[in-house]
Amino acid sequence: MTASYPALRMRRSRASAWSRALHRENVLTPADLIWPLFVTEGKGVEEPIGSLPGVSRWSVDGIAKQAKLAAELGVPCIALFPNTQADRRSDDGAEALNPDNLMCRAIKAVRDACGNDVGILTDVALDPYTNHGQDGLLDDAGYVVNDDTIAVLVDQAINQAEAGADIIAPSDMMDGRVRSIRMALEMGEHHNVQIMAYAAKYASAFYGPFRDAVGSGGLLKGDKKSYQMDPANGDEALREVALDIAEGADSVMVKPGLPYLDIVRRVKERFEVPTFAYQVSGEYAMIEAAAAAGAGERDALVLETLMAFKRAGCSGVLTYHAPLAAKLLSQ
Ligand code: PBG
């Protein structure tokens, strides 16, 4: 039921700032953000990433400082991604299982620096460790095999949990991996380690800068369409999410972000579980390119896009703009 003009003037409630504040339906705070960070070897190293202007790879000591900054800014969680040195990449991604790999050293350094002031999310997938850039093991025909890959992912997840990861985030899209990882975590007494499943992850053209950042882009031949989802599909995302919840995911993620907000909304309405979205590297780069071209104002673009995630139903957003957004939001 509604009145009509002039009894109803929608502009009445928009006429002043206090009234707009009073009627605002959604809020965005630094606590809604997860900040992805890239780790590289060395000490005191900062390597800017060309296709992600404003984002760098940091050596482990620098990662710890960034994590402290996150805590100071009220950003509750960081996500770590390693740029594994070339001579440690192999067919089978075995470096993922090394308890002293870059990732594990970064996890420990963040824990030492921040205690429990910041959550540590770690990606489970083999692409930063393989010499072919795929997320799993290949058979002779170059197909990414499912079940043998899961066995490695389980060991990778346990390796990360043992180093101190708080949230294990399988991003590989293999079938059945959430159940296997959950069971292994339970058996390993990691009862409180969460799983945030990349449940609906699309085979997207928006991941390019990320692959530069972790150094897998130049290695990757072909695409990831035999495991990541077809951008044409929506119902299939709901099946993926249902499976991951049934297998023991604590929260689910939709990825990329803005082009898939319809999926976020459907997931949230259907399952009523904590739902996250990843505003991925290509989305970040688009905003930066627009700002650099004078086609939009960076701060406003960042805050508007992040609010869109909240409106769509997200509990939180992974975004490279997290520190900027957190600063803007606390002004
Ligand atoms: C790896 C992974 C990817 C991203 C997160 N984890 C890339 C891919 O699947 O190729 C993309 C993140 C981004 O683009 O910011 N499995």
Side-chain angles (χ1 to χ4, degrees):
M1 194 190 302
T2 185
S4 59
Y5 170 85
L8 176 66
R9 291 180 185 267
M10 294 299 288
R11 292 182 59 196
R12 264 183 216 127
S13 60
R14 295 177 201 146
S16 51
W18 66 262
S19 180
R20 291 191 292 274
L22 190 63
H23 288 85
R24 192 157 295 136
E25 297 176 33
N26 292 286
V27 284
L28 176 69
T29 76
D32 296 314
L33 307 174
I34 299 174
W35 184 15
L37 291 163
F38 298 105
V39 199
T40 192
E41 284 293 348
K43 218 174 182 269
V45 178
E46 177 183 359
E47 296 168 354
I49 300 158
S51 53
L52 278 178
V55 178
S56 296
R57 300 180 200 99
W58 301 88
S59 50
V60 167
D61 51 313
I63 287 289
K65 289 194 189 114
Q66 301 299 296
K68 274 194 116 134
L69 178 62
E72 280 159 31
L73 290 168
V75 172
C77 188
I78 58 162
L80 295 175
F81 297 95
N83 183 309
T84 306
Q85 60 193 78
D87 62 4
R88 292 195 168 263
R89 295 180 196 233
S90 58
D91 259 4
D92 60 2
E95 178 65 7
L97 312 185
N98 174 2
D100 198 36
N101 68 18
L102 193 51
M103 191 69 170
C104 293
R105 280 179 277 134
I107 295 168
K108 287 176 188 155
V110 170
R111 186 65 73 216
D112 282 348
C114 302
N116 276 326
D117 292 346
V118 68
I120 305 171
L121 180 151
T122 56
D123 205 78
V124 166
L126 297 183
D127 53 317
Y129 310 93
T130 55
N131 54 17
H132 46 69
Q134 292 288 0
D135 292 22
L137 306 176
L138 306 182
D139 68 12
D140 292 343
Y143 181 74
V144 176
V145 294
N146 196 85
D147 300 7
D148 290 347
T149 295
I150 288 183
V152 186
L153 297 176
V154 165
D155 290 346
Q156 180 185 20
I158 295 299
N159 191 32
Q160 294 173 349
E162 264 158 20
D166 297 299
I167 307 180
I168 300 290
S171 71
D172 53 285
M173 291 297 280
M174 299 299 119
D175 287 320
R177 86 282 204 221
V178 171
R179 170 169 287 122
S180 297
I181 293 170
R182 170 55 75 211
M183 276 164 39
L185 288 171
E186 282 296 320
M187 290 198 331
E189 306 283 318
H190 298 294
H191 303 301
N192 280 336
V193 173
Q194 301 176 33
I195 297 178
M196 181 188 291
Y198 285 72
K201 175 171 178 179
Y202 287 86
S204 171
F206 286 96
Y207 304 149
F210 172 95
R211 292 177 188 167
D212 291 345
V214 298
S216 68
L219 302 173
L220 183 65
K221 288 170 210 72
D223 55 45
K224 300 191 177 183
K225 290 180 185 171
S226 79
Y227 44 108
Q228 299 179 351
M229 283 182 54
D230 183 339
N233 297 351
D235 293 346
E236 188 184 335
L238 301 184
R239 295 182 80 191
E240 284 281 7
V241 169
L243 285 168
D244 285 356
I245 296 169
E247 290 179 23
D250 300 284
S251 56
V252 295
M253 190 206 296
V254 173
K255 178 185 173 190
L258 280 191
Y260 296 87
L261 288 187
D262 58 322
I263 307 299
V264 169
R265 167 54 63 186
R266 289 177 73 185
V267 166
K268 186 68 195 174
E269 280 184 350
R270 170 81 66 95
F271 299 105
E272 298 170 316
V273 294
T275 303
F276 292 82
Y278 199 144
Q279 185 175 42
V280 297
S281 57
E283 297 179 73
Y284 172 95
M286 280 202 317
I287 292 174
E288 288 300 311
E297 203 252 304
R298 176 185 290 107
D299 296 355
L301 291 170
V302 167
L303 293 181
E304 182 177 333
T305 57
L306 292 175
M307 183 61 88
F309 287 98
K310 293 294 291 183
R311 198 189 59 243
C314 281
S315 298
V317 190
L318 290 92
T319 175
Y320 302 96
H321 278 123
L324 171 64
K327 275 178 211 147
L328 295 171
L329 291 168
S330 37
Q331 269 163 21

